[in-house]
Amino acid sequence: AAAKETKSLDTKPLDYEEVYQAIADILEDNDYDDGSLGPVFVRLAWHASGTYDVETKTGGSNGATMRFEPEALHAANNGLAIARDRLEPIKKKFPEISYGDLWTLAGVCAVQELGGPTIPWRPGRQDVDDGKSCTPDGRLPDAGQGERHIRDIFYRMGFDDQEIVALAGAHSLGRCHPDRSGFEGPWQEAPTVFTNEYYKALRDRKWVKKTVKASGAQQWVDKKNPDVMMLPAEIAMYNDKAFKKFFNEYADSEEKFFTDFSKVFNKLLELGVPFKGDERVYHFKATTA
Ligand code: CCH
């Protein structure tokens, strides 16, 4: 009993460097998709945060409401139970971390470990205990729609055109799954490395329409390599003059993309979070750097 007591008195404050490391340690999985859980962790962080509405100040990563119905069942969140489940052992190991902090930290960790820029991150999200503050369905973008819809959705979160295009570069990672979204395939050939290749692919390749057999969904594929794809919303965005300017800037300069992505991903993950103001801002060092 004495030993136990000493142990509990010794309890250290939560060390987020250790949590980052624990997430980095589980990213690689040769039995999953392209060998990394990183892309689906980035999507989890984004969908937890992208429900924010700047006017009503509802939604966002605070609360981690995606754990509850109805938000867990929103079609946009198909497949994200996998990401949440894979992070559960880390929540068990570091029970003091909130789910909102854990999910956003996992997104930061994945971007950095897969070769992306350093993303400043700070803790401060508090979990809620039920689904009462779940956001209504329809706050996340519909990939089948056009540039008007994309602007409506992201302006509601408080982003401008440049920020929207910088955020879209996260599609350098991961792939679409017919059983999750109806779409199929990665955006370019290296879906586990964070680069500006997404912008180059959009600018430099010839995109042709194709119907996904499994779902009937229409998407665009590279004429030379039909395994890689673009969403209808992305081709529509690229054909918009104001958006195109930024797409081409990021295709020309990976450095500019990395600088802008770091800022805008940090902004996304902090939407609606009630920080006290004295939280330490972490700049984690990538273990692969
Ligand atoms: Fe995305 N995304 N996304 N996306 N997304 C999908 C997958 C990923 C849209 C649609 C889709 C962002 C913005 C948009 C990731 C990060 C971000 C899929 C496939 C669709 C559809 C889901 C599936 O089938 O598994 C649309 C539309 C927009 C509007 O702009 C933003 C912003 C981010 C992050 C900053 C990542 C990463 C993936 C890959 C997930 C995986 O499992 O590989």
Side-chain angles (χ1 to χ4, degrees):
K4 245 191 198 156
E5 219 166 87
T6 316
K7 204 172 167 230
S8 70
L9 285 172
D10 265 2
T11 308
K12 294 183 297 179
L14 184 51
D15 182 346
Y16 292 101
E17 304 270 1
E18 276 182 36
V19 186
Y20 177 98
Q21 188 58 53
I23 299 165
D25 287 344
I26 64 161
L27 290 180
E28 194 178 316
D29 179 345
N30 292 325
D31 297 326
Y32 181 78
D33 266 11
D34 303 288
S36 175
L37 288 160
V40 79
F41 286 172
V42 174
R43 183 169 165 246
L44 174 65
W46 137 239
H47 280 207
S49 310
T51 53
Y52 188 63
D53 175 9
V54 84
E55 243 162 59
T56 59
K57 299 191 164 52
T58 55
S61 60
N62 193 52
T65 49
M66 202 203 294
R67 287 170 295 148
F68 305 110
E69 292 184 14
E71 200 173 327
L73 300 179
H74 289 168
N77 292 330
N78 281 350
L80 290 177
I82 295 168
R84 297 195 298 272
D85 290 350
R86 293 295 194 107
L87 288 168
E88 202 49 43
I90 301 195
K91 171 70 177 164
K92 294 249 152 62
K93 193 168 170 204
F94 302 96
E96 309 97 310
I97 196 170
S98 67
Y99 281 100
D101 281 344
L102 177 62
W103 295 350
T104 53
L105 181 53
V108 164
C109 178
V111 167
Q112 295 194 181
E113 295 297 312
L114 298 180
T118 303
I119 317 284
W121 179 89
R122 55 185 164 155
R125 296 157 193 80
Q126 292 151 28
D127 292 336
V128 293
D129 305 327
D130 56 48
K132 279 193 216 114
S133 42
C134 280
T135 45
D137 202 357
R139 287 206 177 178
L140 292 162
D142 172 354
Q145 295 201 45
E147 74 287 350
R148 272 285 292 273
H149 166 76
I150 297 296
R151 282 201 173 91
D152 286 346
I153 292 278
F154 282 89
Y155 288 178
R156 189 213 66 228
M157 293 174 222
F159 292 113
D160 64 23
D161 285 359
Q162 173 265 318
E163 292 175 310
I164 296 170
V165 177
L167 279 171
H171 285 172
S172 119
L173 296 180
R175 58 169 56 246
C176 298
H177 305 76
D179 58 329
R180 297 182 194 174
S181 61
F183 301 100
E184 180 166 33
W187 286 266
Q188 35 77 40
E189 290 81 1
T192 62
V193 198
F194 195 93
T195 63
N196 70 335
E197 198 53 44
Y198 164 80
Y199 300 102
K200 290 191 193 162
L202 200 41
R203 182 192 60 187
D204 298 339
R205 304 187 194 198
K206 177 143 181 59
W207 297 96
V208 294
K209 257 194 188 152
K210 193 190 156 180
T211 302
V212 181
K213 277 210 193 78
S215 62
Q218 291 257 337
Q219 62 181 32
W220 297 78
V221 297
D222 175 2
K223 200 171 177 207
K224 286 209 184 115
N225 178 7
D227 290 342
V228 306
M229 61 86 64
M230 286 287 162
L231 299 163
E234 297 179 300
I235 297 293
M237 285 168 76
Y238 191 68
N239 288 329
D240 177 274
K241 230 178 112 195
F243 276 140
K244 180 178 267 169
K245 176 172 155 261
F246 298 114
F247 276 104
N248 288 341
E249 269 178 35
Y250 295 136
D252 288 340
S253 171
E254 186 170 80
E255 199 185 329
K256 178 146 183 40
F257 168 49
F258 273 30
T259 304
D260 290 355
F261 184 82
S262 173
K263 278 191 210 132
V264 74
F265 195 51
N266 166 266
K267 175 174 166 178
L268 171 69
L269 303 187
E270 296 201 343
L271 293 175
V273 181
F275 293 110
K276 290 201 261 17
D278 59 355
E279 294 84 2
R280 173 174 161 201
V281 180
Y282 288 82
H283 294 82
F284 299 101
K285 204 164 143 34
T287 60
T288 48

